[in-house]
Amino acid sequence: MALEVVAQTRKLQGTGASRRLRNAGKVPGIVYGGKKEAVNIELDHNALYHALRNEKFHASILELTLDGAKEQVLLRAVNMHPFKVQVQHVDFQRVAADQKIHMKVPFHFVGAELSPAVKLSSALVSHAMNDIDVRCLPADLPEYIEVDLSKMTVGHSVHVRDLTLPKGVELALRPNENPAVAVAQIPRAAIAEEEAAAAAAPAAAEVPAAKQKAPEAGADKKDDKKDDKGGKK
């Protein structure tokens, strides 16, 4: 079910009109694209602000109700106030069912705790990317792309082209582009501890030899005296 957005046509334009609109708890915006002209719109600030906190709102086909008429749109841009919790402006783009769209889709990581890297080597799996650009028809737009990390080993990465994409979805990448999505590495602290333990092992092995009883002082002199007496005889 598509997420809904309610808006009204905005008649007054300009900086002063937008300021008064924001003071009244509204957000100025625009909807464009398709075969229709761009339309300036206004939305309720609180409803829009809470919708923007939903990750799906940023990567889903939305149903915009504008003056009672419904159409499908994508969220394309959001401008926030530099320090206030206030949405300053929002852009929506119309979509057509038979035209492919270009969209960022978030990754959903699963299985890291089951991977050999984590279970056998106590490695940390870090995410190098959180989303990816894709192209598809509006009806094929996925909510997310799953990244299975259950087979990761230490020192290896999962790359974008290793992923299984939903039907009808293609990557928006250059021919030779294949960035890493996740990497498994041993923490530096653990490596430092192992190196310290390895360095300490030979030193520990040398300690018993060093503690062996040294020859008594003067022993050599006593032997020399005995030899001297023997020589006199």
Side-chain angles (χ1 to χ4, degrees), residues 140-221:
D140 295 329
L141 181 65
E143 181 180 336
Y144 58 81
I145 293 176
E146 186 173 283
V147 181
D148 184 4
L149 304 176
S150 62
K151 297 180 180 179
M152 286 199 75
T153 54
V154 174
H156 289 78
S157 307
V158 173
H159 290 79
V160 168
R161 297 189 187 277
D162 298 330
L163 305 179
T164 300
L165 300 176
K167 182 179 179 181
V169 177
E170 59 187 43
L171 298 172
L173 296 174
R174 292 187 292 273
N176 297 324
E177 192 176 6
N178 189 24
V181 177
V183 182
Q185 295 179 323
I186 302 295
R188 290 184 178 181
I191 295 176
E193 289 180 3
E194 291 182 2
E195 291 177 347
E206 293 174 1
V207 171
K211 288 185 176 181
Q212 290 180 358
K213 187 176 181 181
E216 292 183 2
D220 292 340
K221 292 182 179 180

Side-chain angles (χ1 to χ4, degrees), residues 99-123:
Q99 294 181 358
K100 286 188 176 183
I101 57 176
H102 183 281
M103 196 72 181
K104 279 188 178 293
V105 176
F107 287 130
H108 179 56
F109 297 90
V110 298
E113 69 282 359
L114 303 176
S115 67
V118 174
K119 293 184 68 175
L120 302 181
S121 304
S122 299

Side-chain angles (χ1 to χ4, degrees), residues 216-228:
E216 292 183 2
D220 292 340
K221 292 182 179 180
K222 291 180 179 179
D223 292 339
D224 291 343
K225 289 181 178 179
K226 290 180 179 179
D227 290 343
D228 289 346

